Amino acid sequence: MRTNTEKIRRMIAKLDEMITSAREMENQYKTVLSKIHPRYLKGARNLLHYRSLREHDIRSLQRQLGNLGLSRLARAENHVMTSLLTTRSILRGFLKSKQLKLKRSGLSIKEGRKLVNANARALLGHSSTGRRTRIMVTQPTEAAANPRLVAEMMAAGMNTVRINCAHDGPEIWEKLIHNARKAAAKARRQIKVTMDLGGPKIRTGAIAPGPQVMRLRTQKNNLGQVIQPALVWLSPNTTPDPSLIHLPLPKAWVENLKPGNKLQFSDTRGKKRTLTVTHKLPGGVIASCQKNAYVMTGLEISISNHPETEPAAIGYLPALEQTLVLVPGDKLILHATPEPGENALLDEAGKTIQPAHISCTSTEVFSSVNIGEKILFDDGKISGVIRKTYPDRMEIEITAASEGKARLAADKGINLPDSQLSIRGLTTKDKEDLAFVAAHADVVNMSFVNSPEDVEDLLEELRKLDAFGKLGIIMKIETQQAFTNLMDILLAGMQTYPVGVMIARGDLAIETGWDNMGYIQEEIFWMCQAAHLPDIWATQVLESLAKKGLPSRAEISDATMAQRAECVMLNKGPYIVNAIRLLDTILRNMDEYQEKKTAYTPPMAGFPKM
């Protein structure tokens, strides 16, 4: 008995140490707490208590509490101080024979859970009946002209609309918002509109355009026989059918064409080819080609059975989009000046005369990088190491490429996970877009938040727009720096109401390393819970289903895990309605089994009755 008493006293002493430490951290942040929105004050204090708790190694204490049949503090993130005081009171009760008196910190366990739900409702709107976790859906451009698609997404289970300011413009955005609100009103439902600011994302610059060439491609069966000729639209006007290849030709020349006319030309390889006019429509004709051909701007076409008619030249064709081909061991020059990128120049023996080069959209990075630091391109498909640095360029050795050879295109993301970048705040475009967001949306999503100062910049801009406290904020955590500064970022955001966090797992995984992503998303998850802030699980949820129509088994498991968040984000795709329906079903099913970290035990589905 004496040994047990001594153990319990040591456990109480450990709890006393943790309680004191938590209160000291709260005192250190007194100035910060004075700026917190009243609705978040309990959450801010609890976040500080949780951060203090995580500075202690309590694994031994947890094992001892478990051996006594007590809570092991593993689910205390919503109500840290109350859990510590309650556990200490119970242990003290073991040492005394008098009635147990439990102490409270001003935040009960039940209240901690309710605050998360209330804050999620304020930011993201009401959840669906029978499903706690909301579904946010990125709106495709076509939804601006197709109100029915928006209504179908809502009927399938969409709760929150997301519009990405990196695409389209105010005219399309306004139509998307109008269609969403109209569909919600018709369905007698509330819906929240969120809009993403592009942020200071670092990207590759332009690449020198390729030739103005277009391929006419036939379809063949396994025997090499043509089963579908290449179909083209000959006209100065754009094609009425996207499946037709458009070859621009002079109006007067096209007007003389009739079904049955044979049009001859030599393609870019010098091969003789024939187009047969099959249909005449207002503004142009449709013609077919029985063999593959390559045509380019300026190539002449003549009418074989009308030799008196002068040949016509094909008008402007868009230049082929070029890419840089990179393999491990290659050298790549990344430069600050906006000159078009080019592939490596090789001599006849295959030796590199001039390495491949491409520009970077952000000139600020060149003063912040160091030799030996990692650099990644295109969502990590290409990896490299910085070998030399200059004020206007850096030399990179390519160390890995997907499938051994990768193609780097323009406007692809660049990540510098080892570098301490000085890029921060809102871009000029962000500020322009923010004015629209403040006037039309419910929530602004701030991309690439790296520090509390970034959040302060946003809050200051909202004050200028008289939108402070009127517009919800979602802070997207997608860099190593953001994860390091997470607590201070959350506290900065909690100056206004409502706020939340999006775990942008794509860029975050690239920045922090795929092997670290599992525990990092969990840490962000529980820090948000400690602050009573809603979190959004984002990036590639049911991606294959949305884009290709069929989910992978891994995606199903991922969607199941996402149920612990307050919201799950789906990206656009041709099969997005199917993806929403499946996610809705998964989340509803999981609600019977789990809420956050708390597991439930419903009757087993299909369990035979005795």
Side-chain angles (χ1 to χ4, degrees), residues 160 201 278 322 325 342 344 376 445 453 459 462 571:
T160 309
K201 186 167 177 71
T278 59
Q322 298 292 85
V325 180
E342 296 175 310
L376 303 109
N445 304 338
E453 288 77 22
L459 297 181
L462 290 177
N571 265 321

Side-chain angles (χ1 to χ4, degrees), residues 517-583:
M517 190 56 209
Y519 87 85
I520 283 176
Q521 70 182 15
E522 289 296 303
E523 292 287 3
I524 297 173
F525 198 64
W526 303 127
M527 285 283 278
C528 290
Q529 290 306 296
H532 304 148
L533 298 182
D535 43 69
I536 297 131
W537 187 286
T539 311
Q540 293 186 330
V541 179
L542 296 180
E543 190 90 348
S544 295
L545 174 56
K547 291 187 175 180
K548 300 177 182 178
L550 191 67
S552 67
R553 284 186 290 272
E555 284 182 343
I556 300 298
S557 298
D558 182 55
T560 301
M561 290 290 290
Q563 181 266 352
R564 298 176 302 159
E566 272 66 53
C567 185
V568 182
M569 191 192 88
L570 292 175
N571 265 321
K572 56 192 175 183
Y575 304 94
I576 185 59
V577 175
N578 293 349
I580 298 170
R581 288 197 189 104
L582 178 59
L583 182 58

Side-chain angles (χ1 to χ4, degrees), residues 107-250:
L107 177 65
S108 69
I109 293 174
K110 186 176 181 180
E111 185 183 7
R113 292 172 181 162
K114 291 177 77 172
L115 281 173
V116 177
N117 295 332
N119 294 336
R121 192 161 49 249
L123 182 71
L124 301 166
H126 290 278
S127 58
S128 298
T129 303
R131 167 163 59 79
R132 183 188 64 82
T133 301
R134 296 154 184 82
I135 298 175
M136 176 187 291
V137 183
T138 303
Q139 299 300 287
T141 302
E142 64 184 286
N146 188 356
R148 183 177 177 182
L149 174 60
V150 183
E152 288 176 353
M153 288 191 281
M154 198 169 297
M158 176 177 70
N159 306 102
T160 309
V161 163
R162 174 180 177 258
I163 297 170
N164 191 348
C165 292
H167 304 289
D168 304 315
E171 184 179 350
I172 296 294
W173 302 340
E174 197 162 355
K175 290 178 180 177
L176 291 171
I177 293 170
H178 172 76
N179 289 344
R181 298 209 190 281
K182 185 176 179 180
K186 189 174 182 180
R188 295 183 180 180
R189 286 177 52 192
Q190 180 203 58
I191 198 157
K192 293 281 189 177
V193 174
T194 73
M195 296 188 71
D196 271 37
L197 300 179
K201 186 167 177 71
I202 308 166
R203 293 185 178 275
T204 54
I207 296 177
Q212 293 174 293
V213 174
M214 189 169 287
R215 183 181 182 184
L216 311 186
R217 188 196 299 263
T218 62
Q219 293 183 31
K220 299 180 180 181
N221 60 19
N222 292 334
L223 299 176
Q225 300 164 333
V226 175
I227 58 174
Q228 175 66 50
L231 299 177
V232 297
W233 169 250
L234 306 180
S235 170
N237 306 314
T238 55
T239 173
D241 183 347
S243 66
L244 299 175
I245 296 171
H246 178 212
L247 297 184
L249 289 166

Side-chain angles (χ1 to χ4, degrees), residues 162-437:
R162 174 180 177 258
I163 297 170
N164 191 348
C165 292
H167 304 289
D168 304 315
E171 184 179 350
I172 296 294
W173 302 340
E174 197 162 355
K175 290 178 180 177
L176 291 171
I177 293 170
H178 172 76
N179 289 344
R181 298 209 190 281
K182 185 176 179 180
K186 189 174 182 180
R188 295 183 180 180
R189 286 177 52 192
Q190 180 203 58
I191 198 157
K192 293 281 189 177
V193 174
T194 73
M195 296 188 71
D196 271 37
L197 300 179
K201 186 167 177 71
I202 308 166
R203 293 185 178 275
T204 54
I207 296 177
Q212 293 174 293
V213 174
M214 189 169 287
R215 183 181 182 184
L216 311 186
R217 188 196 299 263
T218 62
Q219 293 183 31
K220 299 180 180 181
N221 60 19
N222 292 334
L223 299 176
Q225 300 164 333
V226 175
I227 58 174
Q228 175 66 50
L231 299 177
V232 297
W233 169 250
L234 306 180
S235 170
N237 306 314
T238 55
T239 173
D241 183 347
S243 66
L244 299 175
I245 296 171
H246 178 212
L247 297 184
L249 289 166
K251 180 180 178 182
W253 194 84
V254 171
E255 285 177 344
N256 290 324
L257 297 178
K258 298 177 181 179
N261 283 156
K262 302 290 184 180
L263 313 180
Q264 293 186 331
F265 62 94
S266 295
D267 77 356
T268 59
R269 304 165 297 174
K271 294 183 180 293
K272 301 291 185 180
R273 292 292 184 259
T274 300
L275 287 169
T276 301
V277 178
T278 59
H279 298 82
K280 189 174 181 86
L281 301 174
V285 301
I286 297 174
S288 65
C289 186
Q290 295 292 331
K291 294 182 179 181
N292 292 339
Y294 291 83
V295 297
M296 64 184 297
T297 300
L299 186 145
E300 291 191 341
I301 299 178
S302 60
I303 308 175
S304 62
N305 48 355
H306 285 277
E308 72 281 2
T309 304
E310 290 291 323
I314 295 175
Y316 175 83
L317 296 176
L320 291 178
E321 182 179 324
Q322 298 292 85
T323 58
L324 304 187
V325 180
L326 299 169
V327 300
D330 280 353
K331 181 194 288 186
L332 174 68
I333 307 297
L334 188 68
H335 47 80
T337 52
E339 56 188 278
E342 296 175 310
N343 270 295
L345 183 62
L346 308 178
D347 62 17
E348 293 181 356
K351 186 177 180 181
T352 301
I353 300 173
Q354 177 182 304
H357 66 93
I358 195 167
S359 65
C360 175
T361 58
S362 174
T363 57
E364 296 92 336
V365 303
F366 292 88
S367 60
S368 303
V369 298
N370 296 296
I371 293 172
E373 292 177 342
K374 288 190 297 185
I375 183 168
L376 303 109
F377 299 89
D378 193 9
D379 293 335
K381 294 183 179 69
I382 303 169
S383 303
V385 176
I386 299 169
R387 296 302 185 196
K388 293 181 181 179
T389 62
Y390 304 92
D392 62 343
R393 69 188 188 282
M394 63 181 89
E395 293 184 9
I396 298 158
E397 178 190 347
I398 301 302
T399 56
S402 59
E403 299 181 2
K405 177 190 285 188
R407 294 182 176 272
L408 180 60
D411 199 36
K412 293 300 181 182
I414 300 174
N415 293 87
L416 294 151
D418 298 339
S419 307
Q420 294 298 313
L421 302 180
S422 57
I423 301 171
R424 54 160 291 199
L426 300 171
T427 66
T428 301
K429 184 179 185 300
D430 288 340
K431 291 178 181 180
E432 293 172 357
D433 293 344
L434 184 59
F436 179 94
V437 176

Side-chain angles (χ1 to χ4, degrees), residues 10-21:
R10 285 197 295 270
M11 293 165 69
I12 292 172
K14 181 64 177 177
L15 288 165
D16 285 338
E17 177 190 343
M18 293 156 61
I19 291 167
T20 300
S21 179

